[in-house]
Amino acid sequence: MKTGRKLVSAYRYRLDLQLFSGEKTEPATPKKRQEARKKGQVAKSMELPGAFILFFCFLAFILFGGFMKEKYIKLFRVTFHDYMGMEVTISNVNSLFGNLLVESLLLLAPIFLVAVLIALVGNYLQIGILFTGDPLLMKFNKINPLEGAKRIFSLRTAVDFLKSILKLAVIGVVVYSTIMGSKDQILGLSRMPLANTMSFVSGLTVQLGIKIGLILIVLAAFDYMYQRYEHEKNLKMSKQDIKDEYKKSEGDPLVKGKIKERQRRMAMQRMMQDVPKADVIITNPTHYAIAIKYESGMEAPKVLAKGTDFIAQKIKEVGREHGIVLMENRPLARALHDQVEIGQSIPADLFQAVAEVLAYVYKLKGRSK
């Protein structure tokens, strides 16, 4: 028993210590996540879009290789066949360089389009659509030497360094194994025609690009998971942070409680002001009190005030002061209190009972219904 009490005391002490020290152990609230997103603080791997671009650009070389080859041969043919004998004038030179620029852009257009599209898709898959200028604002802590030293010698820097070493090692192994696997063909390039040599070199380059791109995508996926872990860790909040956020967003509970209490008092005052207008007060007799009013033109009698215990006593006191008839009817009082709200008309199933009470009251007052 003593051991159990000691464990409970130690656990409570640890919880109190965490609360006092402001240890960030709680997941971030939706409000905190939204504010961080507005500031551009999102889980994002800078390497993932680059890996996608590398992989899909080399795939584009396979898809558009024939088109690019024709454009490339045409560019050289026109340059050496047509332009070499051209008269050198300012207009001819301008036309020459303009045509070469257009042909070069058409040659590289498929790769440019693929690179831009994949870059947009790679960022969208990570963070969705996000436009913010907060990271571009001038922040003096970024040029603080102490803050810079902390960033240089931080855990994130060490992890980035290890990632770079790992990438270089893996890429080196892939390049070495691929080249060594094609060693015989490479040594025989000197005996091959130029067209075959260019075809072999381009094929080997595309093969290496696709392999390296796949490897970088896998490594970037792990980097993205690490970035998400770091992001969630940085967004964590302490219990005190959550309490402060709740107070800012919802208001101080003490202030809200006082406002609600004041609203209840004002509602009770308005209700008590309507009690003198009632024709009868139906009681339990001690626990319930319901003030009812009926005038010509009403579809049914209406409840002006109701309450239990202390409020019921106040309703009866006001009724006595203004000469309102008090009628004891326990089942009817309880039913009216449970089924009818203040300001509402009596429901059809209770109308007969209420009508009998009102008829009796009118008889007492010497009035005819």
Side-chain angles (χ1 to χ4, degrees):
M1 290 294 292
K2 291 182 178 180
T3 303
R5 291 176 182 175
K6 289 182 179 179
L7 290 174
V8 172
S9 300
Y11 179 70
R12 288 178 178 175
Y13 174 76
R14 183 181 177 186
L15 289 178
D16 294 339
L17 186 61
Q18 287 180 353
L19 183 60
F20 177 75
S21 63
E23 184 178 352
K24 298 183 182 297
T25 57
E26 305 302 315
T29 60
K31 186 174 183 295
K32 177 71 175 294
R33 295 179 185 276
Q34 186 177 6
E35 291 177 351
R37 183 176 176 82
K38 289 181 179 179
K39 296 178 181 179
Q41 299 174 1
V42 292
K44 178 182 177 181
S45 172
M46 300 299 294
E47 299 178 4
L48 195 57
F52 279 141
I53 290 173
L54 179 64
F55 176 74
F56 284 100
C57 281
F58 276 99
L59 280 183
F61 278 120
I62 297 176
L63 296 175
F64 302 104
F67 168 80
M68 297 179 70
K69 178 182 177 182
E70 291 179 3
K71 284 288 183 181
Y72 188 74
I73 294 174
K74 179 182 178 182
L75 180 63
F76 273 88
R77 181 185 296 116
V78 171
T79 301
F80 290 103
H81 185 270
D82 298 338
Y83 296 151
M84 292 300 290
M86 182 185 298
E87 183 180 355
V88 179
T89 62
I90 294 177
S91 61
N92 288 342
V93 171
N94 289 336
S95 176
L96 169 63
F97 281 100
N99 292 334
L100 290 177
L101 179 61
V102 171
E103 291 296 330
S104 300
L105 290 177
L106 290 176
L107 176 65
L108 299 174
I111 304 301
F112 285 161
L113 292 176
V114 170
V116 172
L117 179 62
I118 295 303
L120 294 175
V121 172
N123 284 281
Y124 177 78
L125 291 176
Q126 294 186 84
I127 61 176
I129 299 176
L130 176 62
F131 297 99
T132 177
D134 190 84
L136 302 177
L137 298 177
M138 174 63 73
K139 296 180 181 179
F140 293 100
N141 62 339
K142 292 183 178 180
I143 60 176
N144 187 346
L146 295 178
E147 294 294 330
K150 289 180 180 178
R151 287 194 293 268
I152 292 174
F153 298 101
S154 63
L155 177 61
R156 179 183 291 272
T157 305
V159 172
D160 291 339
F161 176 74
L162 292 176
K163 286 191 300 184
S164 301
I165 296 298
L166 177 62
K167 284 194 296 184
L168 289 175
V170 173
I171 292 173
V173 170
V174 171
V175 172
Y176 176 80
S177 61
T178 302
I179 292 178
M180 292 304 294
S182 304
K183 180 177 63 174
D184 296 337
Q185 294 89 331
I186 294 174
L187 294 176
L189 289 178
S190 59
R191 300 186 298 272
M192 295 175 63
L194 180 60
N196 294 342
T197 301
M198 293 295 294
S199 177
F200 173 79
V201 172
S202 60
L204 184 63
T205 303
V206 171
Q207 182 183 355
L208 280 172
I210 292 177
K211 287 183 179 179
I212 294 173
L214 284 174
I215 292 171
L216 291 181
I217 288 175
V218 174
L219 295 178
F222 284 106
D223 179 64
Y224 175 69
M225 289 188 287
Y226 172 74
Q227 296 297 336
R228 283 188 63 89
Y229 165 77
E230 281 289 315
H231 181 66
E232 293 294 329
K233 181 180 177 182
N234 293 331
L235 286 182
K236 279 189 175 181
M237 306 170 66
S238 64
K239 292 180 172 62
Q240 187 61 41
D241 292 338
I242 296 177
K243 290 182 179 179
D244 294 340
E245 181 185 288
Y246 177 79
K247 288 181 179 179
K248 290 180 181 178
S249 59
E250 301 293 335
D252 194 328
L254 296 177
V255 176
K256 290 180 65 178
K258 292 181 180 179
I259 293 175
K260 289 182 178 180
E261 180 63 27
R262 186 174 181 179
Q263 291 174 344
R264 283 194 294 268
R265 288 200 302 267
M266 294 176 63
M268 182 178 294
Q269 290 176 359
R270 288 194 298 269
M271 184 179 70
M272 292 302 176
Q273 291 174 359
D274 290 336
V275 172
K277 304 175 185 178
D279 293 322
V280 63
I281 297 175
I282 302 175
T283 65
N284 193 25
T286 57
H287 297 294
Y288 293 86
I290 296 90
I292 295 177
K293 173 71 175 179
Y294 181 74
E295 293 179 349
S296 59
M298 288 185 178
E299 295 181 358
K302 184 172 67 173
V303 172
L304 298 181
K306 72 173 185 176
T308 60
D309 299 329
F310 175 76
I311 298 177
Q313 297 299 325
K314 295 293 293 182
I315 291 174
K316 288 189 287 186
E317 289 179 8
V318 175
R320 293 191 187 98
E321 292 175 0
H322 292 82
I324 308 299
V325 178
L326 275 67
M327 290 288 298
E328 178 182 342
N329 190 325
R330 298 188 180 187
L332 181 58
R334 182 180 292 272
L336 288 171
H337 183 274
D338 294 340
Q339 299 181 28
V340 189
E341 297 297 330
I342 298 173
Q344 290 184 351
S345 300
I346 302 299
D349 57 339
L350 298 177
F351 185 80
Q352 181 64 33
V354 174
E356 293 177 358
V357 172
L358 289 173
Y360 178 75
V361 171
Y362 294 151
K363 185 177 180 180
L364 289 179
K365 291 182 178 181
R367 294 164 52 187
S368 61
K369 186 176 177 181

